[in-house]
Amino acid sequence: MRTPQGLVSTPVLHPALIESASAAIPVIAVQGQNWSIAAARFGSLAEQFAKAQDYSGKDGTCLCLPDSNGQIIAVLFGLGEGTSEDGVFAAGRLPQLLPAGQYRLDSGWPDPEMAVLAFVLGSYRFKRYKQNNEQPRQLVVPDGVDGHSVSAIAKAVFMGRDLINTPANDMGPQDIEDAACALADQFCAKLCVIRGDDLLEANYPMIHAVGRASTRAPRLIDLVWGQANHPKVTLIGKGVAFDTGGLNIKPDASMLLMKKDMGGAATALAAASMIMAANLPVRLRVLIPAVENAISGSAFRPGDVLASRKGLSVEIGNTDAEGRLILADALCLADEDKPELVMQYATLTGAARVALGPDLPPFYTKNDALAEQIMQLGRKVHDPVWRLPLWNRYRTMLDSRIADINHVSSGGFAGSITAALFLDRFCEQAKDYVHFDIFGWTPTARPGRSEGGEPQAARLTLALLQARYGH
Ligand code: BES
Ligand code: MN
Ligand code: ZN
């Protein structure tokens, strides 16, 4: 394999960022009543204007101050008093609030790097089917902030969002493979893909069974990057291009958003992009089982017993619990490599949403110290997650009368936990294994997060690997 060193394309700034601009308008972060002091810096006219507008410096609000010619001389932006969870990430609102133009961060920003990242992430638009010719809002990269690393993170997040937002007619298993291939090319990684009936030959029976009903062939995508002697880190992402539920067909409302069921794959690819761009000293592997859970005469059925790569026989309780089946075969392959760390992302259960809502994906690991580190880093980088337990008592809910294991529990209790417990059976040799049950979607826009696809836990993953393996 070629080494990535020196071959990575020259970094470029994201279009929402600029190196410098002499006429950039200052944006001042204000908290509570100190807005009036900030406004006074720009003359009594500006201060009077702010008063007349009844500006209060409230969280996430902004006010453009005029000079005597009616031009914008400065912008006040309310960071609030720590009442909102968003903090500095609230700067992600700025691209929506500000008129087109060039801006720079002025005083009052406790974490300029996070503010710049939030600003760029807040500038995202999904443009594949609808051009918008809006003039850009641009931010000058402040001294001491690495605009290129912010740009690499934003580029990866935008790729993840685009992949999720693209509907299934244009985002089938082949398109997911193409995305992985483009990423491999960009960073000189090695890509290997097993498709269609070759999956049977190569012993991935469950990936084949779930994907075989679709006219678009299932596949296992395997990307490898980095030096062989570096610590092995494997990312796995659920790549269900569309989830009809299979023969246990989903009702209309539940099926509507199922283009996002490859959100785990998008997250794994986004995280991989960040890791490779940062040139972290890891031997990275990305495994994506990519299938369409479709309905046809060849569909797998409730009651079927499938073979698995691991050798366990798996009784099918519900064809709509397809994600854990394809992941189990991929996880088993990951495990054979005895990696240091396996990170797995999947839009796996509706139950995770019932428990924690759309913004806070649950995750599972047996390592308490690692769990603590992940929770803290998630908070720090505004990519929050919450640990749920691999509750041993519930393992018996997966007992099957006729097979080694059932992939769903009969009672319907603890759906996210039992899915995690099922997957846990397929991982034995990896030193650490972390499974994220993500939503992959922002139902209503929030600072730095536009409505639509979101590769949740990708930025957190970069932060974790930087903390563990960073130079
Ligand atoms: N992709 C869905 C889970 C999902 C649904 C994620 C809605 C996010 C939003 C998954 O394949 C699924 O259908 N899971 C079932 C499992 C059940 C049949 C045991 C679920 O959660 O209802
Ligand atoms: Mn499903
Ligand atoms: Zn699914």
Side-chain angles (χ1 to χ4, degrees):
M1 198 177 78
R2 286 170 292 179
T3 86
Q5 256 96 12
L7 290 175
V8 180
S9 51
T10 17
V12 283
L13 277 188
H14 190 275
L17 295 177
I18 36 174
E19 214 68 80
S20 65
S22 50
I25 298 167
V27 182
I28 299 143
V30 297
Q31 269 163 324
Q33 288 309 311
N34 77 5
W35 64 264
S36 62
I37 303 162
R41 268 175 59 194
F42 299 94
S44 60
L45 191 143
E47 193 186 357
Q48 289 310 318
F49 181 80
K51 279 196 185 124
Q53 297 283 319
D54 210 10
Y55 188 65
S56 67
K58 189 172 166 294
D59 299 33
T61 60
C62 87
L63 183 72
C64 296
L65 298 176
D67 66 11
S68 55
N69 299 316
Q71 301 294 310
I72 300 174
I73 189 171
V75 177
L76 304 182
F77 180 69
L79 272 191
E81 289 167 282
T83 45
S84 108
E85 186 70 25
D86 295 315
V88 167
F89 214 68
R93 283 189 203 280
L94 285 170
Q96 264 73 61
L97 296 173
L98 296 173
Q102 299 182 328
Y103 299 88
R104 64 178 171 82
L105 300 181
D106 197 282
S107 55
W109 294 96
D111 186 346
E113 176 135 3
M114 195 54 77
V116 172
L117 176 64
F119 181 95
V120 179
L121 293 178
S123 72
Y124 174 82
R125 299 281 176 285
F126 179 54
K127 296 189 196 136
R128 181 161 174 152
Y129 305 98
K130 195 176 181 180
Q131 276 308 314
N132 86 23
N133 300 318
E134 235 183 7
Q135 292 299 307
R137 283 88 181 127
Q138 291 180 302
L139 191 64
V140 175
V141 180
D143 288 343
V145 172
D146 181 350
H148 294 293
S149 77
V150 169
S151 296
I153 292 171
K155 188 179 173 195
V157 170
F158 288 15
M159 174 194 67
R161 290 177 180 173
D162 282 345
L163 290 173
I164 299 171
N165 287 332
T166 303
N169 58 315
D170 284 326
M171 190 51 61
Q174 180 66 53
D175 304 283
I176 297 172
E177 175 184 332
D178 291 347
C181 187
L183 197 64
D185 283 350
Q186 190 193 341
F187 292 102
C188 303
K190 206 180 83 184
L191 191 78
C192 170
V193 183
I194 303 170
R195 302 179 195 85
D197 288 347
D198 289 352
L199 287 166
L200 292 175
E201 192 76 16
N203 195 23
Y204 300 98
M206 297 204 291
I207 300 175
H208 184 271
V210 172
R212 73 189 180 207
S214 173
T215 52
R216 305 192 283 184
R219 62 206 68 204
L220 177 61
I221 300 162
D222 185 350
L223 178 151
V224 176
W225 173 89
Q227 291 177 27
N229 60 334
H230 283 157
K232 290 180 182 173
V233 175
T234 300
L235 314 181
I236 305 177
K238 171 178 170 181
V240 175
F242 193 78
D243 184 9
T244 64
L247 292 173
N248 291 110
I249 191 168
K250 285 183 185 291
D252 49 9
S254 314
M255 205 192 295
L256 186 60
L257 254 184
M258 281 301 126
K259 68 172 183 181
K260 79 171 171 76
D261 214 18
M262 33 60 69
T267 300
L269 290 174
S273 175
M274 294 176 204
I275 292 161
M276 295 189 288
N279 207 11
L280 285 184
V282 293
R283 193 294 237 129
L284 181 69
R285 187 177 198 186
V286 182
L287 294 175
I288 296 174
V291 306
E292 180 172 9
N293 190 17
I295 300 171
S296 79
S298 60
F300 75 125
R301 313 160 191 85
D304 281 358
V305 176
L306 303 183
S308 66
R309 180 173 186 82
K310 182 99 193 150
L312 296 172
S313 56
V314 178
E315 184 184 2
I316 300 306
N318 188 318
T319 60
D320 197 8
E322 82 297 336
R324 62 196 78 180
L325 300 172
I326 63 171
L327 289 169
D329 274 354
L331 182 55
C332 181
L333 171 67
D335 200 48
E336 290 162 18
D337 231 11
K338 303 186 178 64
E340 281 267 309
L341 177 62
V342 175
M343 302 276 278
Q344 176 171 275
Y345 316 89
T347 49
L348 203 61
T349 69
R353 243 47 52 202
V354 175
L356 297 180
D359 303 341
L360 192 60
F363 73 96
Y364 300 84
T365 174
K366 288 174 181 156
N367 182 334
D368 295 340
L370 179 60
E372 188 55 38
Q373 190 183 18
I374 288 173
M375 292 260 288
Q376 280 179 13
L377 286 171
R379 277 233 162 111
K380 185 170 162 222
V381 302
H382 294 269
D383 197 4
V385 293
W386 202 266
R387 188 187 193 190
L388 288 184
L390 285 161
W391 195 251
N392 274 322
R393 254 282 286 123
Y394 294 166
R395 285 185 193 271
T396 53
M397 291 184 182
L398 296 168
D399 287 349
S400 161
R401 272 190 229 290
I402 63 165
D404 293 324
I405 189 169
N406 198 307
H407 73 138
V408 291
S409 68
S410 39
F413 290 125
S416 179
I417 293 176
T418 50
L421 288 172
F422 173 80
L423 286 164
D424 180 65
R425 291 289 297 272
F426 297 83
C427 186
E428 285 176 330
Q429 309 190 75
K431 193 144 160 260
D432 280 305
Y433 164 52
V434 191
H435 159 64
F436 295 87
D437 193 341
I438 65 169
F439 193 53
W441 192 263
T442 305
T444 43
R446 295 171 45 226
R449 296 169 183 86
S450 49
E451 182 186 325
E454 183 66 31
Q456 288 172 323
R459 291 185 297 108
L460 156 67
T461 299
L462 175 69
L464 178 70
L465 298 195
Q466 268 167 340
R468 281 174 71 122
Y469 308 112
H471 300 279

